Amino acid sequence: MRKKRNAFFLSALILLSAPLEALTLDEVCKNILGSSVTTGEFRQEKSAKALKRPLVSSGDFIISKEGIVWKTKKPFSSTMVVSESAITRIGADGKKSMIDAESNTVFMSVSAMLSSIFKGDKKALEENFFVSFEDNGETWLALLSPKDKTIKSAVSSITLSGNAAEGDFSTVEIEQANGDKIRYDFFEKVHKEVLSDEERAFFGK
């Protein structure tokens, strides 16, 4: 009886100590795609050789099939709306300025790739990047290296990471071709199925 009990506890211990199945890029993308809209707060930190200290800004974000909205609150109020065809900047005074695809192909290409990342579009990621993915049980990390020369002229790599248990993204780091870096940290994320009327208005709908 004692031997059977010991064998049972040993089997239970082995099962409890066994590592969980590793997360995959497919699962991360499915988790991101699990909802049509993600909103929350962001913190952006820009580091450059020419700067004595990083530039920090923060605000709210909206990620949807319609595009991405960055509503910066600090240090200055401004809004940037990224859609498939254009990027619209809205100043604190409400004035709008637009960048179309033809006038800035590099910026639009990079923005399109960021959109595919936030939308969990695995096919677009693998078509445009060499992807290296790993999961250490606590954090997953995906390193993206551009295949396209146009994108590579602006961005040398993009690193995404997040909590392995949630399978969701929490940080995006962009290393530019000139060595400058931009880091985004995401907080208080809310996943939902539809945009509110106020959110839809950013995309002219």
Side-chain angles (χ1 to χ4, degrees):
M1 185 69 179
R2 182 176 295 178
K3 288 183 178 180
K4 289 183 179 180
R5 189 182 295 116
N6 290 341
F8 171 78
F9 284 125
L10 180 60
S11 298
L13 182 61
I14 291 173
L15 288 173
L16 289 172
S17 61
L20 297 175
E21 185 176 349
L23 195 67
T24 65
L25 181 60
D26 278 317
E27 291 170 324
V28 170
C29 289
K30 286 178 182 178
N31 287 336
I32 295 175
L33 282 170
S35 56
S36 299
V37 180
T38 301
T39 63
E41 301 173 7
F42 76 89
R43 180 182 184 276
Q44 181 195 69
E45 183 176 298
K46 292 184 178 181
S47 302
K49 296 176 182 178
L51 299 174
K52 293 183 178 180
R53 64 183 65 180
L55 297 177
V56 177
S57 58
S58 60
D60 299 328
F61 72 88
I62 303 168
I63 299 171
S64 73
K65 294 178 180 179
E66 304 292 341
I68 303 173
V69 178
W70 302 102
K71 297 172 64 178
T72 302
K73 294 180 176 180
K74 297 179 181 181
F76 305 104
S77 177
S78 67
T79 301
M80 181 177 290
V81 182
V82 182
S83 66
E84 291 184 359
S85 60
I87 296 175
T88 304
R89 288 192 181 96
I90 307 172
D93 57 359
K95 290 185 178 180
K96 297 182 179 180
S97 59
M98 297 187 69
I99 301 174
D100 58 33
E102 293 182 359
S103 66
N104 200 320
T105 55
V106 173
F107 194 65
M108 286 303 298
S109 295
V110 173
S111 296
M113 288 308 97
L114 287 176
S115 294
S116 69
I117 290 168
F118 289 130
K119 293 175 184 178
D121 190 341
K122 183 173 179 285
K123 183 179 178 181
L125 292 183
E126 294 182 333
E127 284 178 352
N128 295 281
F129 294 92
F130 296 105
V131 182
S132 174
F133 185 88
E134 62 181 56
D135 168 26
N136 65 11
E138 295 182 359
T139 304
W140 64 264
L141 184 147
L143 175 62
L144 312 179
S145 302
K147 295 179 179 179
D148 185 87
K149 291 183 179 179
T150 301
I151 300 174
K152 201 169 184 177
S153 67
V155 175
S156 60
S157 68
I158 299 174
T159 303
L160 294 84
S161 60
N163 185 294
E166 297 174 355
D168 202 354
F169 65 90
S170 58
T171 302
V172 175
E173 294 186 41
I174 303 171
E175 184 169 350
Q176 298 176 287
N178 62 3
D180 294 350
K181 295 181 180 181
I182 304 174
R183 176 187 172 104
Y184 292 92
D185 292 297
F186 301 94
F187 314 94
E188 304 298 330
K189 295 188 296 295
V190 175
H191 302 289
K192 56 185 183 178
E193 293 307 314
V194 296
L195 292 164
S196 66
D197 291 340
E198 181 181 355
E199 292 165 347
R200 195 177 294 109
F202 285 113
F203 304 102
K205 306 212 171 175

